[in-house]
Each structure stands twice: as structure tokens, then as C-alpha cells.
Amino acid sequence: MYLHLGQSVVVPYRDVIGLFDMDNTTSSHLTRRFLERSEKEGRLEMVGDDIPKAFVLCGRQGEKSRIYLSQLSTATLKGRAEGNQFTLD
């Protein structure tokens, strides 16, 4: 199964490590530093042109993780993951 993150971006459900709300998590300097470092390393991808509401941490064993900034809320992403929905916006 796949998780649709917005626009035309989908990731295998098995690769999803976590869904994180931007408002709640970016208040921590550690999270901001993590996202900044990921961007510098080329592992951060913006999904869409709108202000991101969530970031999705994805990875596989033995590979560097990827971070997707999504305009969809964590509630929407969680609902899609639980319902195994594959719908395009």
C-alpha cells in the first residue's frame, strides 16, 4: 500500500516512520535543526506550494531517511494511512 502525501507524491506505507505536526514539533530547536540539516543534505522534499502543515519521516534500513513537507494535516495523513486510501487531490 501507498500513502498519498499531496500533489502527486506517494510513498510506500512500509517506509513511513512517523507523521509530525509542524506547529507542535517546530517549537523545539532540535526539530528545527534536524529539518535544516536534512535540507542541507538534500533529504528534504517540499510537497506542493502551500505552507506545510506536517512532515513525514520515511526511510528503510540501511538508507538515509527522507523528509517530506506536506500541506496536508497529520489528521488527514493518519486517516489515509489507517484507511489505506489512495486518492489524488
Side-chain angles (χ1 to χ4, degrees):
M1 285 294 172
Y2 292 89
L3 177 62
H4 179 241
L5 302 179
Q7 299 296 324
S8 60
V9 178
V10 293
V11 295
Y13 182 71
R14 68 179 180 273
D15 291 353
V16 176
I17 297 169
L19 307 171
F20 302 92
D21 180 78
M22 290 293 286
D23 288 336
N24 292 329
T25 57
T26 55
S27 60
S28 167
H29 71 281
L30 296 173
T31 304
R32 288 192 309 271
R33 192 177 325 155
F34 169 72
L35 293 173
E36 289 169 3
R37 187 178 68 227
S38 298
E39 184 177 22
K40 287 178 185 175
E41 293 174 357
R43 298 183 299 122
L44 188 98
E45 184 176 331
M46 185 74 166
V47 178
D49 297 326
D50 293 335
I51 295 171
K53 294 180 184 174
F55 70 91
V56 181
L57 178 61
C58 297
R60 290 187 181 183
Q61 190 172 8
E63 296 180 10
K64 287 204 170 210
S65 60
R66 295 219 30 97
I67 297 89
Y68 297 90
L69 299 179
S70 176
Q71 75 275 7
L72 301 175
S73 70
T74 52
T76 299
L77 292 168
K78 181 178 181 253
R80 288 182 178 188
E82 289 174 345
N84 291 323
Q85 297 175 2
F86 183 80
T87 57
L88 298 177
D89 290 344

